[in-house]
Every structure is written in structure tokens, then in C-alpha cells.
Amino acid sequence: MKFTLATKQHMTEFFSEDGKVHPATILKASPLTVTAIKTSEKDGYEAIQVGQGEQKKERISKALLGHLKGTPSKVVKEFRTAPGDLSVGATIACDIFNKGDVVTVSSISKGKGFQGPMKRHGMSGGWGQHGQKHSAREIGSIGATGPQRVFKGKRMAGRMGSDRITQKSVTILDVDAVNGLILIKGAVAGKRGTLVEIKASN
């Protein structure tokens, strides 16, 4: 399975060869270094562990630094896939993907803090006619007459955002291997600088 890590840059417009314009998100993909190979015989599962970027040694624990063979990486991730012909120390570049590939993209969405039910769940709020006072953005009734309690799972105010969002069947519009850029069709969850996982769709 093909995969890579990238950081979200910004959105732009992409004009295809047939003259159509597509919304696109630019992702910056730095080369990955294979730091470990997980096997079912030794670890109980198959996976490839990769590191990306550079980090100061004093910011990494000695245990992780020893595991990385003295080469500190800013990000360490695992992808559950068979290693194939990859070995420890191998490099994975963004040109592993091609224009037109269909991929699965995962990232952390923007955090919005504690929000009310209207913004968090799209509730309509109170009436807009006469008789309205101090309840324009209230949730309304939340209980039931019989049980006389609030059921678990009721949509109410609370923390919003900062969730892991996975988008499937996303098309790659273009790949710039020289500058390490990948253009993804549509929007990708997260703010600028958010780490994005890109995997080939099965």
C-alpha cells in the first residue's frame, strides 16, 4: 500500500486540461524515513514505522532517540501494511503517488472550543416572533415526562472540533515531485500546518 505524510498549506484553484476549475488543497510532503518494520512473528502485526522531519535531540526521550538510531524525527507514525521490499533506513518520497490516484486522507479538524447547540448541532433555537425573551439560542426541552431524566447521548452544548476526520475516495489532481507538493481535490480538514496522512484507497 502506498502512503505518505504531509502538512496542509492552503487552498487554491486548479484548472484541468479540459478547462474545468477544481477546488484544491496544497499539501507539503517531506521525505519519510523507515525507522522500523513490524512483523506478525515478532510484534503480532504487520506495519511500517516511518519518521518525518528533524527535531532537536534534547526534545526527544533517550529511549526514542536510541530507537531512531540517533536521528531524531519530528513525527513518528505507523501504517498497518505489509513491508514489501522496504527496509529500515529506506526513503519514501511524495512521487510514490501519481496524478489521478484515489486516496484516503486523514487529519485533525480545527478546534472550536466549547460551543452551543445551534453551532455544534445546527439546531434552530427558539421562535423569532413575539413572546421571545432570553431564549433565542436555547436548546429547548431536553427531558421526557415519564423517565424524568435526560437520556444519554442527547445533543447539547460541548467541545467542538479537534476530531480525527477521514475522507475516502479523494482524487489527487497533481504531484510536484521537485517541490514535494501534492494537490488534493476539495478541502482537507484542519488548519494550516496540520499533519495529514495520505494512503492509497483499497
Side-chain angles (χ1 to χ4, degrees):
M1 180 182 69
K2 299 188 293 185
F3 60 86
T4 190
L5 296 174
T7 54
K8 181 178 178 179
Q9 301 300 304
H10 55 85
M11 291 195 68
T12 185
E13 290 181 341
F14 179 81
F15 290 87
S16 57
E17 296 176 355
D18 56 359
K20 294 182 179 180
V21 60
H22 303 278
T25 303
I26 300 178
L27 304 179
K28 178 71 173 180
S30 302
L32 306 180
T33 303
V34 179
T35 57
I37 300 293
K38 305 289 185 177
T39 60
S40 55
E41 294 80 11
K42 182 178 180 182
D43 306 288
Y45 66 99
E46 288 188 339
I48 301 175
Q49 185 186 92
V50 294
Q52 183 193 54
E54 296 182 358
Q55 183 65 279
K56 294 181 179 179
K57 292 185 178 182
E58 54 268 22
R59 293 182 179 177
I60 300 180
S61 64
K62 290 184 178 180
L64 182 57
L65 190 62
H67 171 69
L68 298 175
K69 304 297 187 295
T71 305
S73 299
K74 192 171 185 179
V75 178
V76 178
K77 288 281 186 179
E78 278 190 7
F79 291 88
R80 292 291 189 97
T81 180
D85 56 353
L86 290 176
S87 59
V88 176
T91 302
I92 303 174
C94 69
D95 57 2
I96 191 174
F97 290 103
N98 300 311
K99 180 179 179 180
D101 287 353
V102 179
V103 296
T104 299
V105 178
S106 300
S107 57
I108 303 298
S109 64
K110 290 182 179 179
K112 299 175 176 63
F114 191 95
Q115 298 297 331
M118 292 185 69
K119 181 172 182 177
R120 191 181 186 206
H121 300 292
M123 293 185 175
S124 59
W127 286 16
Q129 293 88 343
H130 64 280
Q132 177 73 271
K133 188 175 182 181
H134 308 310
S135 58
R137 299 182 64 84
E138 286 186 355
I139 192 173
S141 176
I142 62 173
T145 303
Q148 295 186 348
R149 63 184 176 87
V150 179
F151 292 118
K152 288 184 178 181
K154 172 65 180 176
R155 295 179 300 166
M156 303 180 75
R159 184 198 59 79
M160 182 180 179
S162 297
D163 299 318
R164 181 179 170 88
I165 306 297
T166 298
Q167 299 164 259
K168 298 182 179 181
S169 301
V170 180
T171 304
I172 293 180
L173 296 176
D174 199 7
V175 177
D176 185 356
V178 177
N179 298 312
L181 300 178
I182 300 177
L183 265 69
I184 299 291
K185 185 177 181 179
V188 175
K191 60 182 180 180
R192 297 189 182 190
T194 299
L195 184 69
V196 181
E197 298 178 16
I198 307 173
K199 298 182 292 185
S201 297
N202 296 329

